């Protein structure tokens, strides 16, 4: 077989690149399983810490395993003075994803086990990244707004502490629950672009932090993780009017969408490479958004949400993806828009690092072919 006589699969669409036992996306049944468990069931009854251990280890933790992990996570939340100094040296105008990418790289450079790719070392590195990334995200959001940095609290679980570090006040239980749900839904999604990037890097026998750093770069793009920010930019462009009746907001949103589609615009937060009849994660995230809309008393946002969704469905039959309900949920909680994709990073570290370990355990260098379409051979 040569590089010219094979079929080209642009964007690798439809290509099955390897096996994975971590998650199963089934677009026909509109389901997503993590290690066999429906993600909706996990979101309804598990903490994000439990789901992280499930993704890494293949089974849900025992009570003792969970307690040990929670203690370990709490002990590794704080950022080193060196990492803080490096973040401080970055311009406050740079995208927070650049901060996350830099932080992942620095955490690798600081980790004494960086070059050890045994499962034990990779799991330890994954768990330290998991613990530290929320502090990176919150540190950066607060420094960009000229706010004092809030130290982690080791009497709070992961999600409650995340919100504490972001806002400097204890979040209400309903908000913690919605945040926990978003983390679980964002944790893992098979061979998406950033996870595949992590596997490509791992396949060269590079290290876990290099794989995560590269994955963060892939996630930044608006066709992937950056879509949750782009969704909110659309809402902002539409104009969020706190006292507007929901029906009026819906009508405005419909008119906006009709115009956007007539202008052949791609509207972020809709469509998916794998799901063509709706994203399995959306109903659970939409329920979390509904809870936040009730909690903060902002029905006009539901009007905007419904208007865009209904108009897109009527015009093109394209359904929302997870980023569509996630964007306004994070906005209601008080995160600034550029922090939305870093929140996705904090969640997806679990999936990325589970895939790194799976790739190491059954490695084959990932190196596809290309069909050459340049000039025929010629000579000087
Ligand atoms: N808005 C408007 N039209 C869209 C659309 C969107 N969000 N998503 C897909 N379409 C249309 C395309 O314009 C194209 O129409 P055409 O055949 O008339 O040209 C058709 O649907 C197929 O789209 P395509 O981009 O080729 O499909 P894909 O499988 O390569 O793309 C995405 C999947 C996710 C890249 C795409 O749906 C998209 O760009 N969505 C917006 C970004 C986003 O929300 N990303 C997060 C994904 S979880």
């Amino acid at each position: 077989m040569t590089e010219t006589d094979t079929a080209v699969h642009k964007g690798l669409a439809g290509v099955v690149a390897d096996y994975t036992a971590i998650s199963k996306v089934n677009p026909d049944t509109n389901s997503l399983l993590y290690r066999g468990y429906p993600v909706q069931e996990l979101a309804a009854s598990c903490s994000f810490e439990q789901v992280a251990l499930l993704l890494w280890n293949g089974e849900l933790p025992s009570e003792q395993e969970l307690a040990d992990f929670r203690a370990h996570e709490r002990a590794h939340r704080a950022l080193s003075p060196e990492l803080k100094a490096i973040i401080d040296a970055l311009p406050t105008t740079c995208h927070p994803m650049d901060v996350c990418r830099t932080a992942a790289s620095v955490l690798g450079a600081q980790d004494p086990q960086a070059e050890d790719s045994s499962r034990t070392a990779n799991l330890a590195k994954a768990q330290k990244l998991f613990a530290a990334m929320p502090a990176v995200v919150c540190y950066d959001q607060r420094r960009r707004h000229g706010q004092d940095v809030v130290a982690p609290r080791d009497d709070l679980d992961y999600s409650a502490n995340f919100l504490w570090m972001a806002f400097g006040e204890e979040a209400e239980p309903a908000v913690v629950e919605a945040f926990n749900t978003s983390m679980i839904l964002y944790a893992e999604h098979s061979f998406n672009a950033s996870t595949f990037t992590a596997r490509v890097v791992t396949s060269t026998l590079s290290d876990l932090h290099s794989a995560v750093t590269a994955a963060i770069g892939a996630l930044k793009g608006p066709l992937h993780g950056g879509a949750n920010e782009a969704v909110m930019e659309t809402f902002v462009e539409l104009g969020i009017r706190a006292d507007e009746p929901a029906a009026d907001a819906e009508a405005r949103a419909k008119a906006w969408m009709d115009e956007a589609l007539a202008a052949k615009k791609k509207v972020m937060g809709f469509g998916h490479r794998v799901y063509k009849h709706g994203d399995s994660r959306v109903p659970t995230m939409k329920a979390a958004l509904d809870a936040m809309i009730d909690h903060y008393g902002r029905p006009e946002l539901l009007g905007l949400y419904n208007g865009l969704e209904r108009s897109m469905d009527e015009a093109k039959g394209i359904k929302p993806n997870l980023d569509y309900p996630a964007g306004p949920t994070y906005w209601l909680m008080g995160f600034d828009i550029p922090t939305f994709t870093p929140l996705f990073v904090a969640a997806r570290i679990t999936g990325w690092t589970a895939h790194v370990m799976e790739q190491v355990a059954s490695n084959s260098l990932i190196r596809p072919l290309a069909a050459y379409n340049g000039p025929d051979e010629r000579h000087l």
Side-chain angles (χ1 to χ4, degrees):
M1 198 165 64
T2 71
E3 297 200 0
T4 48
D5 61 10
T6 52
V8 172
H9 298 277
K10 193 94 173 146
L12 299 184
V15 171
V16 178
D18 205 342
Y19 294 97
T20 182
I22 301 169
S23 69
K24 180 178 177 183
V25 181
N26 189 335
D28 298 323
T29 54
N30 198 14
S31 72
L32 170 61
L33 309 177
Y34 291 175
R35 302 282 190 186
Y37 294 106
V39 71
Q40 296 82 352
E41 287 180 27
L42 294 169
S45 33
C46 292
S47 64
F48 181 43
E49 293 93 315
Q50 284 173 291
V51 171
L53 288 170
L54 171 70
L55 290 171
W56 287 321
N57 298 332
E59 295 297 336
L60 282 163
S62 66
E63 275 183 29
Q64 189 57 52
E65 286 164 341
L66 181 60
D68 291 347
F69 175 59
R70 284 206 154 120
H72 178 275
E73 189 265 317
R74 286 166 195 218
H76 288 86
R77 284 173 177 168
L79 305 181
S80 68
E82 294 80 11
L83 177 52
K84 286 182 188 170
I86 289 169
I87 296 175
D88 288 339
L90 298 174
T92 50
T93 49
C94 79
H95 195 285
M97 285 295 276
D98 300 349
V99 174
C100 288
R101 197 188 55 229
T102 301
S105 186
V106 172
L107 287 164
Q110 291 177 328
D111 198 311
Q113 288 179 295
E115 302 304 324
D116 182 349
S117 290
S118 64
R119 187 180 151 81
T120 310
N122 271 348
L123 184 58
K125 288 183 282 182
Q127 295 189 343
K128 281 190 272 175
L129 265 172
F130 175 92
M133 197 50 80
V136 170
V137 174
C138 297
Y139 186 95
D140 183 53
Q141 177 173 270
R142 292 188 73 83
R143 94 187 168 107
R144 278 184 290 108
H145 291 276
Q147 297 166 322
D148 289 340
V149 171
V150 177
R153 284 241 318 252
D154 58 13
D155 59 328
L156 297 175
D157 287 346
Y158 177 96
S159 292
N161 175 62
F162 206 134
L163 293 161
W164 163 257
M165 289 192 297
F167 306 116
E169 51 190 53
E170 269 188 51
E172 306 221 24
V175 180
V176 175
E177 194 184 320
F179 188 79
N180 184 66
T181 296
S182 76
M183 291 287 112
I184 291 173
L185 296 175
Y186 266 137
E188 160 59 12
H189 211 223
S190 183
F191 278 26
N192 58 83
S194 58
T195 300
F196 194 62
T197 300
R199 292 191 74 127
V200 170
V201 173
T202 305
S203 84
T204 70
L205 302 185
S206 187
D207 63 286
L208 178 139
H209 286 88
S210 295
V212 169
T213 303
I216 293 172
L219 189 73
K220 183 180 177 187
L223 293 190
H224 191 12
N228 62 8
E229 295 176 31
V231 164
M232 207 58 222
E233 299 292 2
T234 300
F235 278 62
V236 168
E237 188 185 327
L238 264 162
I240 303 167
R241 303 173 190 163
D243 46 1
E244 184 176 36
D248 295 357
E250 180 169 339
R252 279 199 303 114
K254 278 187 153 177
W256 184 94
M257 181 63 97
D258 291 344
E259 248 180 60
L261 294 180
K264 302 245 171 282
K265 243 178 122 173
K266 240 189 184 178
V267 183
M268 299 296 137
F270 291 89
H272 199 274
R273 172 57 69 74
V274 180
Y275 299 114
K276 296 299 174 196
H277 316 292
D279 180 328
S280 63
R281 303 162 294 180
V282 164
T284 310
M285 195 63 223
K286 173 61 172 29
L289 170 62
D290 287 341
M292 291 301 93
I293 284 174
D294 280 353
H295 180 82
Y296 292 104
R298 299 297 297 268
E300 86 284 2
L301 271 177
L302 189 59
L304 296 178
Y305 185 100
N306 288 340
L308 294 177
E309 181 184 10
R310 286 175 187 159
S311 184
M312 176 65 102
D313 198 22
E314 282 160 22
K316 301 196 80 158
I318 298 175
K319 312 284 183 203
N321 56 55
L322 174 59
D323 295 313
Y324 189 56
T329 304
Y330 290 147
W331 186 83
L332 281 167
M333 287 173 179
F335 288 102
D336 68 352
I337 297 174
T339 301
F340 294 2
T341 317
L343 298 176
F344 191 162
V345 169
R348 191 55 65 85
I349 275 175
T350 54
W352 288 333
T353 51
H355 279 272
V356 166
M357 288 185 273
E358 190 176 65
Q359 183 71 34
V360 170
S362 166
N363 191 45
S364 174
L365 176 71
I366 299 173
R367 199 297 189 191
L369 300 176
Y372 176 71
N373 64 356
D376 285 341
E377 180 172 338
R378 50 187 170 165
H379 299 278
L380 293 171

